[in-house]
Amino acid sequence: MKKLPIGIQSIKKILVKGEYAYVDKTEIIRELIDEGAPHYFMSRPRRFGKSLFLDTLREIFSGNKELFKGCQIYNSDYEWDKHPVVYLDFSKIANQTPSQLETALKVRLGIIAKEYGISIITTDVQVALDTLVVELSNKYGRKVVVLVDEYDKPIIDRLDNLDIAKKNKDLLKGFFGTLKGLDAQLRFTLTTGVSKFSQVSLFSGLNNLTDITMSPEYAGMLGYTEDELKTVFSDHIQEVVKQRGQQGNLVTEEAVIDEIRKWYNGYRFSEKALFIYNPYSTLHYLKTKKAEGYWYSTGTPSFLIEEIKKHPQAIVPLCGTSVLKSTLSDISKIDRIHLAALMFQTGYLTIRGHNPEENSYDLDFPNKEVKDAFFNSLLEEFTEVNPLEVTRVAKEVKKALEDKELESFIDKINAHFAKIPYQIFQHAKEGFYQAVFFTFLEKSGVKTEAETATNTGRIDLVCETSNSFFVFELKLNRTADIAFKQAEEKKYRERYSLSEKNILVLGINFSSKSRNIGDWKGILYSPSGDSVRTYSKNF
């Protein structure tokens, strides 16, 4: 059985002895090279195979044909011309200040030049890049290939200091702007990153740059498809089945695949309904034979939490929200980042549906790993509540809602609010209370949808159980009666009138004085629309 290529970013190490399992992406590479548009950009979440893909390109453009014996490109009509390659990995370039970034870039360009026997004498980083590409092309009589990994790291890493982030962005704008004057010397360029910041000159200067991030034909370029999982890792899946059997848990191969699918599949990057497995987590699962949060635990999304702290109401419509493609694929201002776009580009949300008429996409969490870990992070860093405490009473919260024991349900939610340190509530607005309420429901395993659109407005929150819908209208420092009347006057329950389920319309008013739910009022309607029961409570 072949080894799992965990943490390996060198295609030579994977292929040279044939010791490692390899998901062959070289046919996609050949198509990319042959397409005729030589300058590309693709964003994907971290640890999704970008570095290995770029290293594969480097070896192919270096003409190392025999390395790829047995791969799809080896038996194709690819000509294997050798080109000088400039490879820039921004994860290895210091970026704490703009001057440090500039110095580190110049050092890196100097190292590449030395490897090719070229001397660069300049203090200007843009001139250094220009000189390097021109001299390489002249010396070797071939056009140059430029491969850039994690170009946006100097911006993403510094989002906690917008002044540095903006200065780093401006430096990158000038640096990548140099490439637009080098088209005659360039054979191929591919730049990868986590996000797309459109104001970086990489996107505004190169008119012929092709963004393939959401292109259907390249949706499976990184990560694993289900067919690839079943084919390449069949032996490892059988090992999981065998181990479970030895432990007394008789499972089938399909049951193991179902588990991997639930935890690590679900990423969709285009209108094409092709779902991708997270390669990092999938490999670790096959190694440990345990379903855990591997990818998420490798890096706390501190920049997301900071954005949420600035705009807590933004998390309420996260799952189930619809966003235009232009919003998803572009971040134009680093001081006003669209949270849904940032979470999609960084892998915390993914596409669930596509509306071709609007060219919009429905978003949701990709899988159990991401959803569970994300809400754990929110509880720990946003509310400072131990997620284990919420998990321990999750079944009770969910059952109280299902049984329509609303007083018990509200009491349990208020018990969670009571654990939040009082200073977090300072200057908190309605969106904060909605966000916390939403987070507690999600973590309790209640099926929840936020900001649901109707023909008369937007419902704050909707929950669904086996026999009922719960329509919530939420207010701060008003009254439950006001919240309830709004939901009724806008006829929110009509959206679910054909469901043949009970509908409970509930108005909830939060109190900034008590820092929890102050009062609530609701009416339970039967599937036929008759009023069955009235609920109300003042504290």
Side-chain angles (χ1 to χ4, degrees), residues 200-267:
V200 177
S201 190
L202 172 68
F203 309 104
S204 60
L206 287 171
N207 295 326
N208 56 348
L209 183 73
T210 302
D211 183 357
I212 58 174
T213 299
M214 298 181 70
S215 298
E217 59 267 41
Y218 298 112
M221 194 169 94
L222 301 176
Y224 304 149
T225 65
E226 182 147 319
D227 285 343
E228 290 169 339
L229 173 73
K230 291 178 177 178
T231 303
V232 178
F233 302 105
S234 176
D235 289 345
H236 292 276
I237 293 171
Q238 286 297 328
E239 281 295 304
V240 179
V241 173
K242 180 180 177 181
Q243 186 194 72
R244 299 278 173 88
Q246 292 171 344
Q247 295 172 345
N249 301 314
L250 298 178
V251 298
T252 63
E253 180 178 340
E254 188 55 41
V256 172
I257 293 173
D258 280 342
E259 183 174 56
I260 304 173
R261 187 185 298 123
K262 178 181 178 181
W263 274 82
Y264 311 121
N265 192 24
Y267 291 92

Side-chain angles (χ1 to χ4, degrees), residues 158-172:
R158 306 276 79 87
L159 285 178
D160 58 342
N161 188 323
L162 288 180
D163 182 57
I164 292 177
K166 289 178 180 178
K167 289 178 180 177
N168 282 354
K169 176 183 69 67
D170 290 341
L171 193 156
L172 292 177

